[in-house]
Amino acid sequence: MKILVVDDSATMRRIITKNLNSAGYDDITEAENGEEALGKLEGIQLILTDWNMPVMDGLTFVKTVRTMDAYKDVPIMMITSQAAKKEVIEALKNGVNDYLVKPFTAGTIAEKVKGLAE
Amino acid sequence: MDVKYINPFINSVVTTMEMMVNTSPKRLAPFLKDNNIARGDVSGIIGFASQEIVGSVALTFPEKTVKKIYSVMMGEETNGTNEDIQDTVGELANIIAGGAKEEFSSMGITYHISIPTVVVGKNHSIVHKGGTHVMVVPFKLENNAFFMEISIKLKNNWKKNNR
Ligand SMILES: [Mg+2]
């Protein structure tokens, strides 16, 4: 499974990638903002994206992906510090399939990714 | 500054550290800051703003503390206050500022947060956005100190309608 990890923090990208690797997912592409991610969509089967990023934020990125025929059904999980319920609802309304609030425990990502991958 | 607006950030610091480094930080007595100088070697600062409030929160770490945090988070050592450390501090500030939102929303307050900025160096200065007092909340993570600074101002129109 080809997974795209989008986060402006290199530390966070490494943590997420490490967690995915130890869960057996090793085809990971990384991008540091929504705009860079749009250029790396080819063949991607699952997207994990941050919300708060410079250049293009995660919500704008998700909205854009959902307008693209080839990717409008790719599962997307938002992994973000934005913890208010209103924000979770806004993200889900705009095409996010699952939502994970930072900080998270190592096992949670793997569990949620498995759920989305099915 | 009303303590009820400080507590969500304190709780967010505690939760974040418990999850990221598996240790519960101990909060020490807060005090008001009388200059701009930081108490550590690297700081992550995030501004927040909404119709109701404006302000900023900063996390300042002595080099020793942040190296320890990094090694627990990443499972490897790193040197000095390099790019990896700066990125980690910025992201911790982001997580803490975003994490406080849930508790604020139960008070009817929402806000947007900025992208974190990171400042390094001995005696670096931190510029806050609240235009009001800066409160420092010291923490101890086992034997390592770190500091949260917070400056928060309620906007006048909101105060009048909600008190
Ligand atoms: Mg971010």
Side-chain angles (χ1 to χ4, degrees):
Chain A
M1 158 150 305
K2 211 172 158 174
I3 303 178
L4 178 60
V5 173
V6 194
D7 200 305
D8 58 322
S9 164
T11 305
M12 197 44 70
R13 289 197 306 272
R14 279 173 63 193
I15 290 175
I16 294 170
T17 298
K18 255 193 209 177
N19 286 341
L20 290 173
N21 289 159
S22 44
Y25 302 98
D26 48 15
D27 195 356
I28 317 289
T29 305
E30 295 185 11
E32 56 185 74
N33 61 62
E35 194 177 281
E36 194 191 324
L38 287 175
K40 295 186 167 178
L41 286 173
E42 205 177 328
I44 293 297
Q45 295 161 292
L46 175 66
I47 298 169
L48 309 184
T49 183
D50 184 23
W51 186 326
N52 198 22
M53 296 181 285
V55 187
M56 182 190 281
D57 66 72
L59 192 65
T60 310
F61 167 64
V62 171
K63 287 181 187 169
T64 311
V65 169
R66 289 304 183 227
T67 66
M68 303 165 85
D69 270 348
Y71 304 105
K72 63 180 195 317
D73 298 320
V74 173
I76 303 179
M77 173 157 73
M78 198 163 242
I79 305 180
T80 172
S81 72
Q82 313 265 57
K85 274 193 192 71
K86 237 173 97 178
E87 289 164 333
V88 181
I89 292 166
E90 193 185 357
L92 294 174
K93 263 205 322 226
N94 282 288
V96 166
N97 302 89
D98 205 351
Y99 200 91
L100 179 59
V101 175
K102 296 173 187 172
F104 48 81
T105 52
T108 325
I109 287 199
E111 229 171 80
K112 285 191 172 257
V113 163
K114 255 175 216 134
L116 284 172
E118 270 163 20
Chain B
M1 238 184 302
D2 196 323
V3 63
K4 79 174 182 195
Y5 301 115
I6 311 292
N7 283 337
F9 290 101
I10 291 176
N11 295 338
S12 190
V13 166
V14 172
T15 314
T16 301
M17 290 301 171
E18 283 175 348
M19 297 272 276
M20 304 296 276
V21 299
N22 309 317
T23 309
S24 195
K26 190 171 165 226
R27 182 176 63 82
L28 307 177
F31 55 91
L32 286 177
K33 210 178 173 189
D34 54 9
N35 60 33
N36 275 341
I37 307 300
R39 282 165 173 71
D41 305 304
V42 50
S43 298
I45 305 132
I46 288 225
F48 48 84
S50 70
Q51 287 183 304
E52 301 98 13
I53 57 167
V54 61
S56 51
V57 59
L59 283 169
T60 296
F61 300 91
E63 190 178 320
K64 186 173 154 242
T65 308
V66 73
K67 278 165 88 169
K68 174 83 189 152
I69 290 173
Y70 184 88
S71 70
V72 176
M73 271 173 65
M74 305 305 286
E76 63 188 46
E77 306 293 324
T78 188
N79 278 321
T81 47
N82 62 16
E83 233 177 81
D84 290 339
I85 290 281
Q86 291 174 39
D87 183 273
T88 301
V89 169
E91 183 62 9
L92 284 171
N94 175 56
I95 294 174
I96 283 154
K101 282 182 171 188
E102 202 187 357
E103 205 173 324
F104 271 104
S105 70
S106 65
M107 296 181 231
I109 296 174
T110 55
Y111 56 82
H112 287 284
I113 60 176
S114 70
I115 302 293
T117 44
V118 178
V119 189
V120 285
K122 285 260 174 280
N123 299 320
H124 64 268
S125 61
I126 300 177
V127 180
H128 282 277
K129 308 253 192 262
T132 179
H133 309 290
V134 176
M135 175 88 84
V136 181
V137 184
F139 287 90
K140 275 246 156 141
L141 199 59
E142 289 169 338
N143 286 321
N144 298 303
F146 71 93
F147 305 87
M148 179 182 77
E149 294 187 5
I150 174 111
S151 172
I152 180 166
K153 198 156 98 179
L154 298 189
K155 291 194 175 164
N156 282 331
N157 50 349
W158 192 76
K159 252 192 249 178
K160 248 183 262 153
N161 297 333
N162 290 277
R163 289 219 159 161

